[in-house]
Amino acid sequence: MAVILETSLGDLTIDLYTQERPRSCLNFLKLCKTKFYNFCLFHSVQRNAVAQTGDPTGTGRGGESIYTKIYGKQATYFDREVKPILKHKKVGTVSMVNNGSDMHGSQFFITTGEDLDYLDGVHTVFGEVSEGFDVLSKINEVFCDKDNRPYQDIRIYHTVVLDDPYEDPAGLEIPDRSPEPTKEQMDSGRIRADEDINDFKGMSHAEIEELLKEREAKANAQILEMVGDLPDADIKPPDNILFVCKLNPVTTGTNH
């Protein structure tokens, strides 16, 4: 059973351990079929360790399991599968991310190092990369900031399910085509995945980071312009204003 992740750096083929990890594999396959992972960022890349993705918010704090679509919000996460014991021994191991409570949602990571035994017994191994190790190497070698966030976006553009042994749950909506991304979804404040990195050739990490901060500030200003807090996105708020907040019509000063 396999899935192809079409990323901005190339394709990764993942073979799934459907016998050993039925809940995790069903979750992953159905999320792929519903195009949940389309345009997700690899929001954290720790060199020679893990490359993490699967959060539509791109923050590392979002995402939900496919069981949410079936059973509601009480099923945002599902229990970690602990047996049989599968370890993070080789490059290309694919695991569901532990949310801190021994449960999983949609986030997963791919290992880019060997013998990562500190991950064993914490996260659920449910597959491995079978093709695309050159792509995984490119992901591993990207430049990141101090929080392990790549300076240039790496995205999952599309997922292709090659084989799915599980029946689709009743009521699960499978789109007949991939949805178009929203502007907000694609605007990470970083270098776009399709942007020519040569535009930044010769710039230091500090210069790139300063440029990204300017872009993020510009994006925030555009949001304030849309809600009416700034007359124009190019107008800088006064220096004595720490932040601007506009209450919506149903918010009062006594609301908490």
Side-chain angles (χ1 to χ4, degrees):
M1 313 303 168
V3 169
I4 297 175
L5 303 183
E6 297 178 357
T7 81
S8 53
L9 293 181
D11 294 353
L12 294 166
T13 301
I14 297 175
D15 287 347
L16 302 176
Y17 303 153
T18 54
Q19 294 296 319
E20 298 89 344
R21 297 289 189 257
R23 289 200 307 275
S24 295
C25 289
L26 186 152
N27 177 64
F28 184 72
L29 282 165
K30 301 310 178 185
L31 287 173
C32 288
K33 287 183 77 172
T34 58
K35 308 305 178 187
F36 181 92
Y37 289 127
N38 284 27
F39 310 109
C40 278
L41 289 167
F42 279 87
H43 59 267
S44 177
V45 177
Q46 301 176 47
R47 186 165 294 187
N48 299 327
V50 300
Q52 187 170 332
T53 184
D55 173 11
T57 72
T59 64
R61 298 185 295 274
E64 60 187 26
S65 78
I66 197 64
Y67 302 109
T68 309
K69 305 292 186 186
I70 305 169
Y71 305 115
K73 284 298 181 181
Q74 70 271 19
T76 297
Y77 303 102
F78 64 98
D79 290 336
R80 185 169 69 86
E81 294 175 285
V82 298
K83 291 183 179 181
I85 297 173
L86 300 176
K87 298 186 176 183
H88 301 80
K89 282 186 171 294
K90 57 187 177 182
V91 171
T93 299
V94 185
S95 270
M96 295 303 300
V97 174
N98 190 324
N99 73 346
S101 300
D102 280 345
M103 303 187 81
H104 303 307
S106 58
Q107 292 191 48
F108 65 96
F109 63 77
I110 305 173
T111 61
T112 55
E114 298 178 333
D115 297 320
L116 304 176
D117 54 4
Y118 64 92
L119 300 173
D120 296 342
V122 180
H123 309 281
T124 298
V125 174
F126 70 97
E128 63 180 83
V129 172
S130 59
E131 295 181 36
F133 283 95
D134 57 330
V135 175
L136 188 57
S137 179
K138 290 178 186 176
I139 294 173
N140 184 49
E141 294 168 2
V142 298
F143 290 107
C144 299
D145 63 18
K146 60 181 177 58
D147 297 317
N148 301 310
R149 185 178 177 87
Y151 284 113
Q152 183 170 26
D153 289 345
I154 308 168
R155 291 187 183 275
I156 297 173
Y157 282 144
H158 189 57
T159 55
V160 180
V161 176
L162 299 181
D163 194 8
D164 180 1
Y166 307 108
E167 290 186 10
D168 293 335
L172 185 66
E173 295 183 10
I174 308 295
D176 55 8
R177 54 179 293 184
S178 294
E180 292 295 323
T182 64
K183 181 179 182 299
E184 292 75 19
Q185 193 174 19
M186 299 300 287
D187 189 4
S188 68
R190 298 271 160 154
I191 304 168
R192 296 191 314 273
D194 60 353
E195 194 166 350
D196 188 355
I197 197 69
N198 288 329
D199 291 346
F200 301 87
K201 190 174 182 180
M203 295 178 68
S204 67
H205 284 284
E207 289 171 330
I208 293 174
E209 199 155 8
E210 183 61 30
L211 179 60
L212 293 174
K213 286 179 181 177
E214 290 177 5
R215 288 187 178 186
E216 188 173 6
K218 176 71 173 179
N220 290 339
Q222 288 173 337
I223 292 172
L224 291 175
E225 180 185 1
M226 285 189 290
V227 300
D229 286 326
L230 283 179
D232 189 275
D234 293 320
I235 295 178
K236 180 182 177 182
D239 291 335
N240 63 338
I241 300 297
L242 295 178
F243 64 90
V244 182
C245 178
K246 184 176 183 178
L247 299 178
N248 65 45
V250 298
T251 306
T252 69
T254 60
N255 290 142
H256 297 287

